[in-house]
Amino acid sequence: MYDAKTAKELIEQKLDLRMQQADRYNRTVWEAMQYSLMAGGKRIRPVLLLWTGLSLGADEQDLLPFAQ
């Protein structure tokens, strides 16, 4: 089981990878998406999803797409 900081970092790594794939958008749109997505304080739901799923025996790789 992850602590909150580790879970948050894992989710942010996956989000960052997802944003790298979104470079086909207009630069202004991409920057707005990046700013909104990576702003602090938006990780409680993904962390709770990850903790709940793991505590119920789900596989991390199955949970991460829903935590993004």
Side-chain angles (χ1 to χ4, degrees), residues 2 4 6 10-13 15 17 19 25-26 29 31 35 38 41-42 46-49 51 55 58-59 61 66:
Y2 300 104
T6 304
L10 177 65
I11 292 164
E12 287 183 351
Q13 287 173 355
L15 288 171
L17 286 173
M19 283 302 295
Y25 295 106
N26 173 286
V29 172
E31 287 174 356
Y35 175 80
M38 300 311 282
K42 296 184 179 185
V47 169
L48 288 174
L49 179 135
W51 283 348
S55 69
D59 182 69
Q61 295 306 310
F66 297 101

Side-chain angles (χ1 to χ4, degrees), residues 4-30:
K5 182 179 178 184
T6 304
K8 178 181 175 270
E9 289 171 357
L10 177 65
I11 292 164
E12 287 183 351
Q13 287 173 355
K14 296 296 181 180
L15 288 171
D16 189 48
L17 286 173
R18 180 73 54 109
M19 283 302 295
Q20 290 175 16
Q21 298 169 356
D23 63 355
R24 66 182 179 272
Y25 295 106
N26 173 286
R27 182 73 182 166
T28 303
V29 172
W30 186 90

